Amino acid sequence: PLIERKKEYCRHEVRYLTKDGGFRWIEVFARLVLDKDGRIIGTAGTLNDITQRKRAEQALQKQRVAIEAAIDGVSLLDDEGRYTYLNQTHIEMFGYRHADDLLGKTWRGLYSDQEIARFKNEASPELSKTGKWRGTVTATRRDGTTFPEEVSLTRIEGGGLVCVCRDITDRIAAEQFVLNSLQIG
C-alpha cells in the first residue's frame, strides 16, 4: 500500500531473530522519500525495539486468562464503587450472564441495606487503615435469592478496589452436616 501510494506511511510490528537464537520485536514506521518530480527514491522511517512492551502484553494476557479461569469471582471497582471489570465467575455467581449487566453499576445493588451498613462500619475503616478487608457477608442474586459469600477487598494504588468473592453455600452446608452428625452420634 505504501509503494502503491494508497497510504502516506506504514506501521507494523516484526519479530526478528537474534544471533544468539532469541528474538526481538521491532515496530517499523516508514514513509516514502520522493524526488522533486514525485518519483520514489527510497523510504525513511524509524525502528523501535518494543520487545519489553510485547512481553508485558503477553504477561497481561496470561493473567487475564488466569483470572477468567478462576473459580472465585474477581472484579475491579472504581473509587465510586462501580464495576469496571468482572470475570465470568463473578457475573454468574450473582445470576447474571454478561459483564454488561453489571459494568458501570455499583456493588451496592448486590447487597441488602443491612449488609451495605456492615461494609461501611467494618470494611471501610479496615480498608482505610490497612488497605485490605476480608469477611463473610450475605449477597443477593439477580433473582432476589441470597447466599453466604466470603469477600476479600484490596485497595489499588491510585484508586479503586480488587474484590475476590466466593459463594460458600456448600461449605456452610457441609459444616452444618458435620455438626449435626456429631450431635446425633
Side-chain angles (χ1 to χ4, degrees):
L2 186 63
I3 293 172
E4 294 172 357
R5 297 188 183 192
K6 292 180 180 176
K7 290 183 166 186
E8 291 194 25
Y9 68 92
C10 72
R11 179 206 164 276
H12 59 276
E13 296 173 359
V14 181
R15 185 175 146 177
Y16 287 99
L17 292 175
T18 60
K19 288 181 190 179
D20 64 3
F23 65 89
R24 306 297 290 174
W25 281 97
I26 306 297
E27 181 178 51
V28 178
F29 284 98
R31 66 174 182 77
L32 294 175
V33 177
L34 307 174
D35 67 13
K36 62 181 169 119
D37 296 322
R39 289 185 299 245
I40 300 171
I41 59 171
T43 59
T46 60
L47 302 174
N48 295 307
D49 186 338
I50 58 168
T51 305
Q52 292 301 334
R53 184 183 85 199
K54 292 296 268 187
R55 287 182 181 151
E57 288 170 358
Q58 291 167 348
L60 281 172
Q61 180 58 30
K62 288 177 184 177
Q63 291 170 358
R64 282 187 202 107
V65 169
I67 290 169
E68 284 301 321
I71 61 172
D72 291 334
V74 179
S75 63
L76 299 175
L77 298 108
D78 65 16
D79 285 332
E80 305 300 318
R82 293 180 302 247
Y83 289 106
T84 60
Y85 168 81
L86 303 100
N87 72 350
Q88 195 61 34
T89 302
H90 194 289
I91 295 162
E92 292 172 2
M93 184 182 310
F94 286 90
Y96 294 89
R97 291 187 178 192
H98 306 285
D100 290 344
D101 295 330
L102 292 169
L103 283 173
K105 296 179 181 161
T106 177
W107 62 270
R108 291 169 188 84
L110 303 176
Y111 299 91
S112 68
D113 291 342
Q114 180 181 353
E115 290 299 325
I116 292 169
R118 192 162 154 232
F119 275 114
K120 183 179 177 184
N121 295 329
E122 291 179 27
S124 291
E126 190 66 22
L127 282 166
S128 295
K129 183 178 174 183
T130 67
K132 296 179 181 183
W133 180 82
R134 190 175 198 168
T136 303
V137 298
T138 301
T140 306
R141 291 186 186 91
R142 184 179 200 169
D143 66 6
T145 60
T146 60
F147 65 97
E149 176 191 39
E150 190 173 67
V151 179
S152 172
L153 301 173
T154 305
R155 283 231 175 268
I156 300 171
E157 188 175 328
L161 289 173
V162 173
C163 172
V164 179
C165 56
R166 177 180 294 165
D167 181 339
I168 57 172
T169 302
D170 292 341
R171 184 175 84 197
I172 289 176
E175 289 170 357
Q176 191 60 49
F177 177 79
V178 169
L179 288 173
N180 290 344
S181 297
L182 291 173
Q183 289 175 356
I184 293 173

